Amino acid sequence: MKYEEQDRPTWDGEALAEALGRELSRRRDDLWTHERFLRWLAADARAQAERRTTASQREAALLERGRALHARVLARRSGVWLIDVPPRLVSAPHRVTPMQAMDDARAMHAAPRVELAAAAGAGRVLWDEPAEHWVVLPPVVPRMRALALRVAGESMAPLIRSGDTVLVELGAPLVRGRIVVARNVDDGYVCKRVDRIGRRAVGLASLNPAYENVIIPRDERRIVGTVRVVWRT
């Protein structure tokens, strides 16, 4: 039996096992003690492992690119600007509530950020949370009365992932297909897409099919605002 280096790529696992079985059944000496054969076998195992790793990495890279493209499509459909870097933060000059900081932040082309996640518990009130940092808005984003929030949960993946920061414009009209932050009595604050608008209720949908949709009363006090920008963590 010859095991030349140039033969190494031609073997697959089953063929190698069959050949070894035939050879060992004919030979009295122990093939496994031959140094040259052991070196060849080790090289073959390394090559197969490298091929598997490379294929796995390629598959993971393709999957990640597919998710990124999907997120871009969803952002365009939802009227959202997706930024692939974290937002730039500045310390708030005063430790006050978001509403108290709103006008000053707007004058500096910024928005107060609240650390309370959009999916926080129902017992907490968003406007009572102190805004210790402001998010600096990109120059192309118009000045607006807005609030920056960090989102918790994966219900809006792949467009909005857990830990991302969203810029929520206050007072924007409710539009089907847009993404909003709203207050739900049972779940606290949620970030969802407007699926339908009825006379008495608003249907809010998750982008991630693993999560349920939400129905809230059609009440302006329940809608915090419309998501305009998403910053990745």
Side-chain angles (χ1 to χ4, degrees):
M1 177 182 181
K2 294 183 178 181
Y3 34 87
E4 301 294 339
E5 179 64 23
Q6 61 267 23
D7 295 332
R8 178 175 56 80
T10 65
W11 291 101
D12 59 30
E14 293 184 2
L16 178 60
E18 183 179 351
L20 286 175
R22 288 198 304 266
E23 185 66 17
L24 290 173
S25 65
R26 292 196 301 264
R27 297 171 64 100
R28 292 183 178 179
D29 59 332
D30 190 356
L31 185 64
W32 299 96
T33 63
H34 289 210
E35 182 65 25
R36 188 180 177 189
F37 171 75
L38 293 176
R39 288 199 302 269
W40 173 85
L41 189 61
D44 183 77
R46 286 195 299 270
Q48 292 194 34
E50 289 174 1
R51 287 195 292 272
R52 287 194 298 269
T53 301
T54 301
S56 176
Q57 290 174 341
R58 286 198 298 267
E59 183 179 357
L62 287 173
L63 183 60
E64 183 60 28
R65 285 199 291 270
R67 289 171 177 166
L69 179 59
H70 187 197
R72 291 289 175 186
V73 172
L74 291 172
R76 181 176 292 273
R77 289 179 177 177
S78 305
V80 172
W81 185 22
L82 182 59
I83 303 177
D84 288 323
V85 296
R88 184 164 70 91
L89 303 178
V90 295
S91 297
H94 305 287
R95 193 174 186 274
V96 295
T97 65
M99 193 57 69
Q100 292 170 331
M102 194 71 60
D103 292 336
D104 291 339
R106 182 183 180 187
M108 294 181 60
H109 201 60
R113 189 183 77 163
V114 178
E115 291 295 336
L116 176 66
R124 302 181 68 175
V125 179
L126 183 67
W127 303 110
D128 291 342
E129 298 296 319
E132 298 182 354
H133 292 90
W134 294 355
V135 171
V136 179
L137 305 185
V140 295
V141 175
R143 295 189 181 188
M144 63 180 73
R145 297 185 73 254
L147 181 68
L149 292 170
R150 294 191 69 185
V151 176
E154 298 290 343
S155 67
M156 295 300 286
L159 176 54
I160 305 174
R161 303 179 302 202
S162 187
D164 289 349
T165 298
V166 297
L167 181 70
V168 182
E169 181 183 7
L170 308 181
L174 198 61
V175 178
R176 187 173 182 271
R178 293 292 188 252
I179 296 175
V180 300
V181 173
R183 183 170 177 81
N184 184 22
V185 175
D186 297 328
D187 301 325
Y189 292 94
V190 295
C191 184
K192 302 287 184 184
R193 183 182 61 189
V194 179
D195 184 54
R196 61 182 181 85
I197 305 173
R199 289 189 302 174
R200 297 184 177 181
V202 177
L204 304 177
S206 302
L207 295 179
N208 187 341
Y211 290 78
E212 295 181 354
N213 298 338
V214 174
I215 298 177
I216 63 172
R218 186 172 178 178
D219 185 345
E220 293 183 356
R221 296 170 297 181
R222 296 290 190 94
I223 306 297
V224 176
T226 300
V227 174
R228 299 302 188 191
V229 181
V230 175
W231 289 273
R232 291 288 189 225
T233 53

